[in-house]
Amino acid sequence: MEEENGGVVVQSLIETVNEIASISDYRCAVKKQYCNLARRLKLLTPMLEEIRDSKDSIIPQQTLKALFFLKQALDSAKDLLKFGSEGSKIYMKKDPYSRRLHTVLEREQIMNKYHEVTAKLEQALSGISYEILDISDEVKEQVELVLAQFRRAKGRVDATDVELYEDLLSLYNNTDDSAKDLAVLRRLSEKLQLMGIADLTQESLALHEMVTAAGGDPGENIEKMSMLLKKIKDFVQTENPNLDAPAKEKNVLPSGSGQAFADGSHKTPAIPDDFRCPISLELMKDPVIVSTGQTYERSCIEKWLESGHETCPKTLQKLTSAALTPNYVLRSLIAQWCEANGIEPPKRPTSYGSNKTASTYSPAELTKTEILLHKLASGSLEDQRSAAGEIRLLAKRNADNRVAIAEAGAIPLLVDLLSTPDSRTQEHAITALLNLSICEDNKGSIVLAGAVPGIVHVLKKGSMEARENAAATLFSLSVVDENKVTIGSLGAIPPLVTLLSEGTQRGKKDAATALFNLCIYQGNKGKAVRAGVVPTLMCLLTETGGGMVDEALAILAILASHPEGKAIIGAAEAVPVLVEFIRNGSPRNRENAAAVLVHLSSGDQKHLVEAEEHGVMGPLVDLAQNGTDRGKRKAQQLMERISRFFEQQKHTQAQAEAHIQQPQPSAMANSGDS
């Protein structure tokens, strides 16, 4: 065992040093120190390789402990170096040690962490007995050199890093000496290699990531750093007006139109800031609006979202949706500006979207929509039915149609048709609203138009197709948190539970997804339980085919956190069913079944006993080892609770047995002769 552990530890040490060797491009204000640290650690590789390849493969226990300590020190060094590598030139990302955000101006804290890691490495290397290891004298000398370098590095700082720090600090503190500021800005832009628009934009994005990591609250330091970046950006653009603009050097716009001024002059008109994409800083070809109301070039914001960002790059607010709405007004203004300046308007890319390459709503389409709305408002049932059917199809076709139809005023007219006695018209109206609700901005408009009572009416009284689409519409609308409250308060939950029980397979799934979304809001959980959803969910768990198991367990996992839900689930004899899913379910179902059991056992320990009697321990051990991350946590919680409960039972029983075995004084012994 000792031999095996030693080999594993040494190999792990080698892999960690190799990872450190692969880290490069340190961008913080302590670059020199980081580079030196990485270089010294690379020199440990020969020692580790000789230990690994040694004929005497058994490593003494004391040395093994020292190697474990070295592994911990190397891991700390690796995290520190990654931290320095992954930051931007000015900004740094979240500190893996203190979980705080640092900028390069917080240099003292960063240097303290560097010295802390260095001291840990020195202590770890000093604790190894090299004499008893089978390594060459040359390698021993190399390790001694590394140790000596670590000792000399204590308290040493690099003059270049200090100058960089002081330059940033002087700007950060808003010095009034403009001439000095210009000199400082010139040094900073050169040292930080912020000489192009791409670099400056990357710095802006790095700032956005910092604020996102801080939960959306920029704080005073980050706000000041934002001003610092703006100073550098303004300086660089002032010093080099042709910055990063090969198109401008050819007297053409960044859009590549190839058009110069109509009067033949060689100057390019300044692009209004509102026409530039905040990300690329170039004239927008296809401006789109995100959920915060900001406008970006479509390709730029799509890349931002595809990179995993969930915030608006300009405002740093969390995006409630990834939907992108074309900004027709701005697109028209850009075209007018280009025409006024004798410039060919930028052509929109045609590689995305529907078959309709240019999704701008044409005058003919607007006229058609107006005619359809006139029919919706008429008293003719046939006109209303045909118009609602056409709007249903148009709204399904593409995002531009959904925006234009809503802007034309269709939503209130469709809401009025939800109460029509004609089932086909009602189906068209509810489905049209469903399609329109896909657009994020339309969700609020639909609720504000008073649609929820009408949707609930359709959910109760409509045809099966209409009921299914009503449930799907409620799910779509409930994506917005405030709508969850409105929908729940207007009586939507009981008819959803009914549809979950008696609908088609598609209807059940629509109802389940809507209920799941609504029950995320705590106030709706009790409503669902009182509407009888738990018995329905239990039936879905055991029905032939099991087509609704995923949805049923997911909803139960939410409801079990509510006192009423916990009580009803516990009374429904759910434990044997849950144990079976923990044993044989899919990874997600095992996770949710364990989550339900965790909630049940927190209120009544009899559920622990019942679960243990049904053989839950074996499946829990497997889930703790092979489940999802959440499943592992839930399995561990349950195993600890079961173990603690039975330990307490044993202790109580032992105390009782000990009490019984104590000798009791007999009546004869206590009585005396009279």
Side-chain angles (χ1 to χ4, degrees):
M1 177 64 74
E2 207 170 45
E3 176 182 344
E4 181 182 352
N5 287 343
V8 170
V9 173
V10 173
Q11 185 58 40
S12 176
L13 286 166
I14 293 173
E15 290 171 1
T16 302
V17 173
N18 288 338
E19 286 182 57
I20 289 171
S22 68
I23 302 172
S24 60
D25 193 21
Y26 302 107
R27 301 179 178 182
C28 62
V30 286
K31 180 173 182 177
K32 185 77 172 287
Q33 284 88 343
Y34 278 28
C35 288
N36 287 341
L37 175 59
R39 175 180 52 77
R40 291 167 190 144
L41 294 178
K42 292 174 192 176
L43 295 175
L44 299 179
T45 302
M47 175 191 75
L48 297 172
E49 289 177 344
E50 286 200 8
I51 296 174
R52 179 193 62 189
D53 300 334
S54 172
K55 296 178 182 178
D56 185 9
S57 56
I58 298 178
I59 300 176
Q61 189 65 31
Q62 193 63 31
T63 303
L64 191 58
K65 288 181 180 178
L67 291 176
F68 270 117
F69 186 52
L70 177 60
K71 178 66 170 66
Q72 293 174 351
L74 285 174
D75 285 339
S76 297
K78 182 181 71 174
D79 289 341
L80 180 70
L81 293 171
K82 278 186 175 180
F83 173 54
S85 174
E86 293 172 355
S88 71
K89 294 182 177 74
I90 294 179
Y91 305 108
M92 300 183 84
K93 295 183 179 178
K94 187 173 282 189
D95 187 337
Y97 300 95
S98 65
R99 314 307 295 169
R100 293 176 58 238
L101 290 166
H102 288 293
T103 66
V104 315
L105 294 178
E106 292 171 301
R107 189 172 181 278
E108 184 178 350
Q109 294 94 320
I110 298 170
M111 285 303 299
N112 286 343
K113 182 53 62 180
Y114 168 81
H115 290 307
E116 179 184 321
V117 169
T118 301
K120 188 183 292 186
L121 286 165
E122 180 195 347
Q123 185 180 356
L125 289 171
S126 299
I128 299 174
S129 300
Y130 301 99
E131 293 75 14
I132 62 175
L133 292 174
D134 185 18
I135 57 176
S136 63
D137 292 338
E138 182 182 349
V139 168
K140 288 179 184 176
E141 291 174 1
Q142 189 165 308
V143 175
E144 289 172 1
L145 174 64
V146 172
L147 261 171
Q149 290 176 343
F150 275 137
R151 294 186 183 111
R152 285 200 303 270
K154 287 182 179 179
R156 182 184 296 177
V157 294
D158 182 73
T160 304
D161 292 338
V162 172
E163 186 181 59
L164 175 61
Y165 166 70
E166 290 176 348
D167 281 345
L168 284 169
L169 192 62
S170 68
L171 282 180
Y172 188 72
N173 290 331
N174 287 324
T175 175
D176 295 328
D177 190 341
S178 300
K180 180 181 177 183
D181 274 5
L182 288 175
V184 169
L185 285 165
R186 184 171 287 105
R187 283 200 301 271
L188 284 175
S189 62
E190 291 173 356
K191 288 179 182 177
L192 296 173
Q193 297 179 342
L194 293 174
M195 303 300 293
I197 286 294
D199 292 328
L200 292 165
T201 302
Q202 183 60 42
E203 293 305 303
S204 297
L205 295 180
L207 175 60
H208 296 151
E209 290 185 4
M210 281 184 70
V211 178
T212 300
D217 181 12
E220 183 182 356
N221 280 352
I222 300 178
E223 287 180 1
K224 286 186 177 180
M225 290 299 285
S226 178
M227 294 301 297
L228 191 155
L229 176 60
K230 186 178 185 305
K231 283 186 177 183
I232 296 176
K233 185 184 292 185
D234 291 345
F235 167 78
V236 171
Q237 290 178 324
T238 302
E239 288 285 293
N240 186 3
N242 294 321
L243 179 67
D244 275 9
K248 290 183 181 179
E249 292 169 7
K250 300 174 185 176
N251 299 318
V252 296
L253 278 174
S255 60
S257 63
Q259 298 291 325
F261 267 127
D263 62 4
S265 67
H266 296 290
K267 293 182 180 179
T268 303
I271 302 173
D273 288 342
D274 289 342
F275 293 175
R276 293 180 183 269
C277 171
I279 297 176
S280 68
L281 303 181
E282 294 189 357
L283 185 70
M284 285 186 274
K285 304 179 181 71
D286 185 15
V288 293
I289 306 169
V290 298
S291 62
T292 59
Q294 298 297 320
T295 297
Y296 300 92
E297 173 62 35
R298 183 186 291 271
S299 60
C300 294
I301 192 63
E302 283 178 343
K303 288 179 182 177
W304 171 263
L305 295 173
E306 288 167 3
S307 299
H309 299 287
E310 298 178 345
T311 56
C312 171
K314 192 171 182 180
T315 67
L316 309 177
Q317 293 174 310
K318 186 174 179 62
L319 295 172
T320 58
S321 166
L324 304 176
T325 304
N327 191 332
Y328 298 110
V329 175
L330 183 60
R331 188 188 303 161
S332 175
L333 290 173
I334 291 174
Q336 292 173 23
W337 177 81
C338 290
E339 184 178 353
N341 287 281
I343 298 163
E344 182 182 345
K347 290 183 173 59
R348 298 176 60 221
T350 58
S351 59
Y352 62 84
S354 64
N355 294 331
K356 192 175 177 182
T357 56
S359 56
T360 308
Y361 225 55
S362 68
E365 289 171 316
L366 288 172
T367 302
K368 179 181 179 181
T369 300
E370 290 173 1
I371 293 172
L372 291 174
L373 297 191
H374 181 73
K375 287 183 177 182
L376 283 182
S378 73
S380 168
L381 184 58
E382 289 187 6
D383 282 351
Q384 288 176 334
R385 185 189 304 128
S386 65
E390 285 194 61
I391 289 175
R392 167 184 179 173
L393 295 175
L394 285 172
K396 182 180 180 180
R397 193 167 298 162
N398 59 52
D400 288 358
N401 287 357
R402 290 189 276 274
V403 174
I405 290 169
E407 288 179 348
I411 289 174
L413 297 173
L414 291 169
V415 169
D416 290 342
L417 292 180
L418 294 177
S419 57
T420 180
D422 182 70
S423 62
R424 193 60 183 156
T425 303
Q426 190 182 66
E427 287 172 9
H428 288 327
I430 189 63
T431 310
L433 287 171
L434 169 61
N435 293 337
L436 289 172
S437 74
I438 296 171
C439 173
E440 195 69 23
D441 289 343
N442 289 346
K443 295 183 194 297
S445 301
I446 292 170
V447 173
L448 288 174
V452 175
I455 297 171
V456 173
H457 171 74
V458 175
L459 191 59
K460 292 177 178 177
K461 305 292 185 181
S463 66
M464 184 54 70
E465 179 185 345
R467 292 171 68 191
E468 291 169 352
N469 288 339
T473 306
L474 290 176
F475 166 71
S476 177
L477 296 176
S478 65
V479 168
V480 180
D481 285 342
E482 53 264 34
N483 290 349
K484 291 180 175 67
V485 182
T486 303
I487 294 168
S489 66
L490 291 175
I493 290 176
L496 283 172
V497 173
T498 302
L499 183 61
L500 182 65
S501 174
E502 62 186 34
T504 63
Q505 189 68 11
R506 181 198 155 196
K508 289 179 179 180
K509 286 194 177 288
D510 287 333
T513 52
L515 283 167
F516 177 85
N517 221 32
L518 289 170
C519 288
I520 292 172
Y521 170 60
Q522 184 74 7
N524 287 334
K525 294 177 183 179
K527 293 184 176 72
V529 172
R530 291 188 288 275
V533 72
V534 171
T536 300
L537 294 172
M538 293 304 301
C539 289
L540 294 176
L541 289 181
T542 55
E543 71 178 1
T544 305
M548 292 292 297
V549 167
D550 294 355
E551 294 85 353
L553 279 172
I555 297 172
L556 283 173
I558 290 180
L559 296 178
S561 66
H562 189 274
E564 291 180 65
K566 185 192 305 184
I568 297 295
I569 295 169
E573 299 182 354
V575 172
V577 179
L578 296 172
V579 171
E580 184 58 30
F581 278 111
I582 294 173
R583 179 181 289 113
N584 294 318
S586 67
R588 187 62 63 192
N589 289 341
R590 297 178 75 194
E591 167 193 319
N592 282 326
V596 176
L597 198 51
V598 165
H599 287 301
L600 293 182
S601 64
S602 67
D604 193 339
Q605 291 183 328
K606 73 178 184 183
H607 297 304
L608 289 177
V609 177
E610 187 179 1
E612 201 275 338
E613 289 174 350
H614 282 85
V616 76
M617 286 303 292
L620 285 179
V621 170
D622 181 68
L623 181 60
Q625 294 174 346
N626 304 310
T628 62
D629 288 344
R630 178 168 173 255
K632 290 177 180 178
R633 292 196 303 272
K634 299 302 179 184
Q636 194 64 42
Q637 280 181 269
L638 283 169
M639 288 192 295
E640 288 174 359
R641 286 185 185 177
I642 292 173
S643 176
R644 189 163 55 246
F645 173 75
F646 284 104
E647 284 295 327
Q648 290 173 349
Q649 291 291 94
K650 288 179 183 179
H651 180 68
T652 302
Q653 184 177 355
Q655 283 184 323
E657 290 175 353
H659 180 71
I660 292 172
Q661 292 173 4
Q662 286 180 358
Q664 299 295 322
S666 65
M668 289 293 292
N670 289 332
S671 62
D673 294 333
S674 56

